[in-house]
Amino acid sequence: MTHSKSYTPESAMAIVAHPDDIEFGCAGTLARWAKAGARVSYVLCTSGDVGIRVEGMTKEKAMEIREAEQRAAAEVAGAKEVVFLREPDGLLQATLELRKKLVREIRRFRPEVVIVGDPTMVWAGDRYINHPDHRAAALAAVDAIFPAAGQPNLFEELAAEGLTAHKPRKVYVEVWGNSVDTYVSIDETIEVKIAALLAHQSQVKEDIAPRVKEWAAETAKGKEMQYAEAYRVVTLESDEDWEKWKGVVAGRQ
Ligand SMILES: [Zn+2]
């Protein structure tokens, strides 16, 4: 069981389906890393344009509202950059086209760590079925990270945009239950996580705060921390190789 209490990447990117997914999931971790000096980027596959159930609401208006909320949430957590790919909310698919768009973002930002959802998660507790967009975003993200982003001759047309291959060092997968192997303490950023979540005014109300604390405390149970976010961590590059190459894979075997 790894406790990555002290590990801070130089840069991190989160790839998700909707505005608020990062805040419900991994914003405490990203805020912690941003606070320690990491560059942080959010990539949103959709802009949540069917996610506001108010009479008279249009997709265009909802997109505008939710992108503004997401930008505010990113600012609260210290993320410097938010990218919206504007795929259709509710209809997201892990196409090759989406994979290429994500490869472009990875090669551009060159993150040390990428945080993604669990593409295999369908059932989540007994009161929720995981949203198909979450699965699609997670699958597209995983397939973009490895091996695509690191293969110079795959999507080689991106070189015309000045983008060369990049292999992230680690992937943090947001998993539940027995698959968890890493707990990140968010003791110092739980309030930031809540504030970021509350930036999504069209989605949540103040009463979410105690529940977020309950969930994070439940996750941290038995660990040397009060609040946690949990992951399965896949290390694609050894410490030694990372120091040597920093994700630059061109010319390597
Ligand atoms: Zn979502």
Side-chain angles (χ1 to χ4, degrees):
M1 198 70 70
T2 315
H3 296 265
S4 67
K5 279 180 101 173
S6 56
Y7 173 65
T8 301
E10 179 274 323
S11 54
M13 169 179 278
I15 300 173
V16 297
H18 311 119
D20 82 16
D21 289 350
I22 287 173
E23 287 65 38
F24 273 110
C26 56
T29 301
L30 290 167
R32 178 195 167 107
W33 290 345
K35 215 169 145 192
R39 293 184 295 129
V40 175
S41 174
Y42 291 1
V43 176
L44 285 285
C45 293
T46 84
S47 293
D49 49 90
V50 300
I52 303 181
R53 280 166 235 154
V54 172
E55 210 182 326
M57 181 59 64
T58 63
K59 285 187 197 175
E60 291 71 24
K61 186 68 190 154
M63 178 186 284
E64 202 179 295
I65 292 168
R66 300 204 66 189
E67 288 188 359
E69 290 174 347
Q70 185 61 70
R71 285 198 188 91
E75 204 174 320
V76 168
K80 289 282 181 294
E81 178 186 274
V82 188
V83 176
F84 297 101
L85 300 180
R86 294 181 175 162
E87 298 287 317
D89 182 18
L91 302 172
L92 191 65
Q93 288 198 300
T95 61
L96 288 175
E97 197 196 340
L98 179 57
R99 190 189 300 178
K100 180 176 167 179
K101 287 180 181 178
L102 294 173
V103 166
R104 175 185 282 119
E105 296 310 320
I106 292 165
R107 289 185 183 173
R108 187 184 53 72
F109 191 76
R110 311 187 85 72
E112 180 172 327
V113 167
V114 186
I115 302 186
V116 300
D118 178 356
T120 68
M121 189 167 87
V122 178
W123 314 113
D126 53 9
R127 300 183 62 181
Y128 183 64
I129 294 173
N130 194 21
H131 195 301
D133 287 357
H134 294 168
R135 273 181 279 137
L139 185 58
V142 168
D143 291 350
I145 292 163
F146 188 86
Q151 289 184 306
N153 291 330
L154 186 60
F155 300 131
E156 67 270 33
E157 62 273 29
L158 293 175
E161 300 172 29
L163 304 175
T164 55
H166 174 76
K167 186 180 181 186
R169 181 182 188 175
K170 290 172 188 287
V171 185
Y172 276 55
V173 191
E174 296 180 277
V175 294
W176 283 28
N178 293 335
S179 306
V180 172
D181 61 16
T182 300
Y183 295 86
V184 177
S185 165
I186 58 166
D187 291 2
E188 279 155 39
T189 52
I190 183 76
E191 298 299 341
V192 179
K193 178 182 169 110
I194 290 167
L197 187 54
L198 289 174
H200 296 279
Q201 289 172 10
S202 70
Q203 306 298 307
V204 297
K205 297 208 169 58
E206 293 283 340
D207 63 1
I208 195 88
R211 279 192 283 154
V212 171
K213 283 193 174 168
E214 264 169 47
W215 297 329
E218 180 66 28
T219 304
K221 217 172 184 177
K223 311 293 174 301
E224 302 147 9
M225 53 191 88
Q226 196 181 352
Y227 301 113
E229 288 169 346
Y231 305 92
R232 171 181 183 158
V233 175
V234 180
T235 299
L236 297 174
E237 285 281 323
S238 68
D239 292 351
E240 200 180 65
D241 280 353
W242 181 260
E243 282 314 313
K244 216 159 151 189
W245 297 99
K246 299 271 187 194
V248 177
V249 295
R252 288 177 57 201
Q253 291 300 305

